[in-house]
Amino acid sequence: MRKKIVAGNWKMNKTPKEALALIEELKPLVKDADSDVVFCVPAIDIIPAVEATKGTNIAIGAQNMYFEDNGAFTGEISAPMLKDAGVQYVILGHSERRQYFNETDEAVNKKVKKAFEYDLIPIVCVGETLQQREQGITIDWVRMQVKKAFMDVNKEDAVKVIVAYEPIWAIGTGKTATVEQADEVCNAIRKCLFELYGEEAAYSIRIQYGGSVNGKNAAELFSKPDIDGGLVGGASLKADFASIVNWDK
Ligand code: PEP
């Protein structure tokens, strides 16, 4: 049985002081969660966030990293740096990084492989644009993104990946995919993973839904057997995030 996982993506929000205030507010509210709980915080908040969540059920994630260990890559952060700072998860290939920072499927794949070298768990984001959905190519597109992200990743590592299905048209727009739409694509992703790695691995890999998840729609979405929790942007910045984490209570 896969354990659900609810991750907050804070994006470029919260100074270190604000991050600590939100963590202190949320700690008691999420402590009895049945799901795994992850806060993916801005790079500058990582060290205080790791410190503030020690001994709690909250794991800290990063929102991106580079695929080299070190060197002349001004402004980047590496997997060994994240590992040393106490990070456990890293979001890779978020649509905002693909859209605004030209992140390619090839770069995402290199980052996924680098994450495993340092025992970081990648949360790999995939999803279609509104135009692709209207053209009827959602499944083909998402399958391609999954195949490229998992290229040359062995089965032992693949089972640790979290895939986040995030239709781009639903991110930060208040438009949530219907439960049927989310379930259909999460199911197609699992089929694709089955083709790549076989049944046991495909049924071990956790697949989240992301896109305007909130306290009202989380329970319906996360109750679907192929949806193993959520990646949550806007709604993770408030104490109300606890109602998403506690979706099953
Ligand atoms: C996200 O940032 O991954 C996301 C899903 O954002 P939102 O919940 O705000 O749509």
Side-chain angles (χ1 to χ4, degrees), residues 9 11 94 96 166 170-173 210-213 231-235:
N9 172 17
K11 313 195 189 203
H94 191 279
E96 286 153 16
E166 301 208 306
I171 297 179
T173 58
S212 299
V213 173
L231 182 57
V232 184

Side-chain angles (χ1 to χ4, degrees), residues 7-11 91 94-96 125 164-175 209-214 230-237 244:
N9 172 17
W10 290 10
K11 313 195 189 203
I91 298 175
H94 191 279
S95 61
E96 286 153 16
C125 301
Y165 166 55
E166 301 208 306
I168 296 171
W169 48 272
I171 297 179
T173 58
K175 280 187 206 156
Y209 167 77
S212 299
V213 173
N214 57 45
L231 182 57
V232 184
S236 70
L237 294 168
I244 304 176

Side-chain angles (χ1 to χ4, degrees), residues 67 93 97-98 101-110:
F67 51 72
R97 295 222 51 93
R98 294 180 191 257
F101 303 98
N102 303 322
E103 191 151 305
T104 62
D105 289 315
E106 290 68 29
V108 173
N109 175 248
K110 284 186 187 170

